[in-house]
């Protein structure tokens, strides 16, 4: 079966958009206009869940094997991250001073300033990362700040494949159930559950709708209707909440609330409109990013942390929009370089695990 390059292309564009979002909302807090930061959320993480739905099936063994491989790749990455963070602290304490390290970390702003710098490795942090409790990595704060997506992805994929396997004729009912729960939580915010329930209720809806769209094409006559409904929803959003809700879209993302949910409609409709309509026949830079999306996702957390050290000294020396374009370009370039390195580290990690397996396997 030939690989659908549109899926890779869409993943690539979504990944590039995520890099822009993290450019705008992390180091961009120092200089980028609030309006631009909000507009960066037009193409956001919901696209990944929709694409996961399109590419998912009912094969439980295959799905769990894929998740296991992802978990091992993730553990290799966070192990590398742990030692990079630890060795940097040891380097700073050995050759400079505690004050120098504290000044270094103050670049990220007071919200991410570390409170305990020690030459002793904090192994409990690594264990927490393995188990998807995303304790902050002091040297690379954007990494753990963006990993909430991964935990939700694991939950969605497991429950999604179970629904597709055991309830294939009732997928629409589950879509209705998840959409209903999302609406219920928003109508009665006092019962909106903490943790992952609210995230899963909304994103499972997106995931299952994506799965229902697999292999289908939206009829031409429905396209203006869908975009018309999106326009009506956005008009209703600002009419009900007022124009000030525009600046609160990101606050309504964690967990997903009605303003943010409506904000995602445009990108989701666009994804499904071009699915099976836009034909990508040749691989390109964007499809390359899409094929390696997980490594770019890991890499952008590191690169988005590094660009802080360019933003802080440069923010007063040029117009904000020029600096934004410059930093965004540098962030993408760094993500390319770092993702290539992470892919190599992943290959080495798997080779080490295979060596250990061969040495410890019973004969």
């Amino acid at each position: 079966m030939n690989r659908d390059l549109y899926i890779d292309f869409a993943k690539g564009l979504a990944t590039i958009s995520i890099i822009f979002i993290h450019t705008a909302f992390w180091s961009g807090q120092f200089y980028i206009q609030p309006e631009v930061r909000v507009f960066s959320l037009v193409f956001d993480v919901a696209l990944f869940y929709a694409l996961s739905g399109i590419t998912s099936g009912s094969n439980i063994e295959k799905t769990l094997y894929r998740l296991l491989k992802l978990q091992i790749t993730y553990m290799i990455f966070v192990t590398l991250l742990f030692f990079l963070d630890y060795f940097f602290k040891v380097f700073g304490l050995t050759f400079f001073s505690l004050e120098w390290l504290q000044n270094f970390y103050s670049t990220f702003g007071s919200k991410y300033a570390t409170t305990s710098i020690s030459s002793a490795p904090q192994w409990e942090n690594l264990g927490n990362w393995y188990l998807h409790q995303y304790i902050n990595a002091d040297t690379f704060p954007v990494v753990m700040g963006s990993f909430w997506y991964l935990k939700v992805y694991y939950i969605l994929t497991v429950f999604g494949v179970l629904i597709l396997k055991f309830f294939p004729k009732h997928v629409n009912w589950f879509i209705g159930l998840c959409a209903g729960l999302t609406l219920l939580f928003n109508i009665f915010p006092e019962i909106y559950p903490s943790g992952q329930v609210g995230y899963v209720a909304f994103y499972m809806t997106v995931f299952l709708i994506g799965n229902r769209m697999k292999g289908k094409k939206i009829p031409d006559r429905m396209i203006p209707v869908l975009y018309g409904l999106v326009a009506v929803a956005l008009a209703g959003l600002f009419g009900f909440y007022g124009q000030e809700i525009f600046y609160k879209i990101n606050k309504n993302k964690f967990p997903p609330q009605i303003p943010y949910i409506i904000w995602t409609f445009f990108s989701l409709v666009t994804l499904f409109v071009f699915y099976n309509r836009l034909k990508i026949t040749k691989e390109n830079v964007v499809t390359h990013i899409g094929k390696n999306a997980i490594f770019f996702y890991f890499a952008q957390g590191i690169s988005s942390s590094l660009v802080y050290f360019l933003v802080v000294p440069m923010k007063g020396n040029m117009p904000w929009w020029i600096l934004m374009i410059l930093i965004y370009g540098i962030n993408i370039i760094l993500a390319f370089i770092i993702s290539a390195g992470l892919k190599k580290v992943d290959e080495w990690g798997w080779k080490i695990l295979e060596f250990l397996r061969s040495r410890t396997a019973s004969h």
Side-chain angles (χ1 to χ4, degrees):
M1 184 177 179
N2 293 330
R3 189 181 182 96
D4 187 351
L5 290 181
Y6 174 77
I7 300 298
D8 291 330
F9 186 79
K11 281 184 180 179
L13 287 179
T15 303
I16 292 171
S17 180
I18 293 297
I19 295 174
F20 182 58
I21 291 171
H22 291 165
T23 301
F25 273 95
W26 289 81
S27 60
Q29 66 182 303
F30 294 129
Y31 69 99
I32 293 179
Q33 299 297 309
E35 294 83 358
V36 176
R37 294 207 298 272
V38 175
F39 273 116
S40 73
L41 295 171
V42 170
F43 295 96
D44 201 1
V45 71
L47 293 174
F48 284 105
Y49 295 124
L51 289 164
S52 295
I54 292 174
T55 56
S56 292
S58 59
N59 189 321
I60 294 178
E61 183 179 359
K62 183 178 179 180
T63 300
L64 294 181
Y65 179 72
R66 176 165 53 87
L67 290 179
L68 177 61
K69 287 183 64 179
L70 175 59
Q71 174 66 14
I72 293 173
T73 291
Y74 163 77
M75 292 172 72
I76 292 171
F77 169 67
V78 295
T79 301
L80 171 67
L81 189 78
F82 176 82
F83 284 107
L84 287 176
D85 179 66
Y86 168 65
F87 287 135
F88 179 80
K89 289 175 180 175
V90 171
F91 170 82
L93 291 172
T94 303
F95 294 99
F96 296 95
S97 64
L98 177 62
E99 291 72 23
W100 180 87
L101 269 179
Q102 289 173 333
N103 183 63
F104 175 89
Y105 288 123
S106 69
T107 303
F108 300 121
S110 58
K111 183 178 179 181
Y112 303 101
T114 182
T115 56
S116 59
I117 301 174
S118 172
S119 59
Q122 296 174 303
W123 296 107
E124 67 275 13
N125 285 354
L126 181 60
N128 284 326
W129 291 348
Y130 284 165
L131 299 176
H132 294 276
Q133 183 180 356
Y134 305 122
I135 305 298
N136 188 47
D138 294 325
T139 314
F140 308 102
V142 184
V143 177
M144 294 303 158
S146 61
F147 263 173
W148 67 269
Y149 156 82
L150 202 58
K151 182 188 291 186
V152 176
Y153 172 77
Y154 277 110
I155 297 169
L156 281 187
T157 306
V158 170
F159 280 96
V161 72
L162 292 176
I163 291 171
L164 296 175
K165 177 66 175 180
F166 296 107
F167 305 98
K169 296 181 180 180
H170 300 88
V171 173
N172 291 341
W173 285 95
F174 279 96
I175 293 173
L177 173 64
C178 293
L181 285 173
T182 302
L183 186 61
L184 183 67
F185 296 153
N186 278 276
I187 294 174
F188 303 103
E190 66 274 9
I191 67 168
Y192 204 123
S194 60
Q196 309 304 317
V197 178
Y199 292 88
V200 172
F202 170 57
Y203 290 120
M204 181 64 81
T205 307
V206 174
F207 177 92
L208 292 176
I209 290 174
N211 185 262
R212 298 298 284 173
M213 284 297 300
K214 181 185 292 189
K216 298 177 182 177
K217 179 179 178 181
I218 292 178
D220 292 344
R221 65 181 182 277
M222 287 298 299
I223 295 175
V225 175
L226 290 173
Y227 280 115
L229 291 173
V230 171
V232 169
L234 288 171
L237 169 67
F238 292 110
F240 183 80
Y241 291 97
Q243 294 184 358
E244 64 274 7
I245 194 63
F246 175 79
Y247 297 98
K248 300 176 181 178
I249 295 296
N250 191 55
K251 290 183 178 179
N252 283 270
K253 178 180 176 180
F254 303 105
Q257 297 170 58
I258 285 178
Y260 174 74
I261 291 170
I262 293 175
W263 195 251
T264 66
F265 286 173
F266 175 79
S267 62
L268 291 171
V269 168
T270 301
L271 172 70
F272 294 133
V273 162
F274 283 102
Y275 176 55
N276 281 330
R277 180 172 277 107
L278 176 63
K279 301 299 181 184
I280 308 297
T281 57
K282 294 182 180 180
E283 295 191 13
N284 51 54
V285 173
V286 178
T287 60
H288 169 77
I289 296 174
K291 279 186 175 181
N292 299 279
I294 190 62
F295 294 108
F296 274 89
Y297 204 89
F298 293 162
Q300 62 79 30
I302 296 176
S303 64
S304 295
S305 300
L306 294 177
V307 296
Y308 268 91
F309 300 97
L310 296 175
V311 166
V312 172
M314 294 171 64
K315 62 181 178 179
N317 299 326
M318 63 184 72
W320 69 267
W321 60 272
I322 293 179
L323 181 59
M324 179 186 72
I325 294 172
L326 179 63
I327 295 299
Y328 181 42
I330 292 172
N331 205 352
I332 290 177
I333 292 170
L334 286 174
F336 261 98
I337 296 170
I338 295 170
S339 66
L342 292 179
K343 196 170 183 179
K344 285 293 183 183
V345 171
D346 182 61
E347 292 174 2
W348 296 334
W350 278 96
K351 288 180 180 178
I352 292 172
L353 290 174
E354 176 58 29
F355 172 79
L356 294 174
R357 187 201 65 79
S358 64
R359 291 292 182 178
T360 57
S362 57
H363 296 285

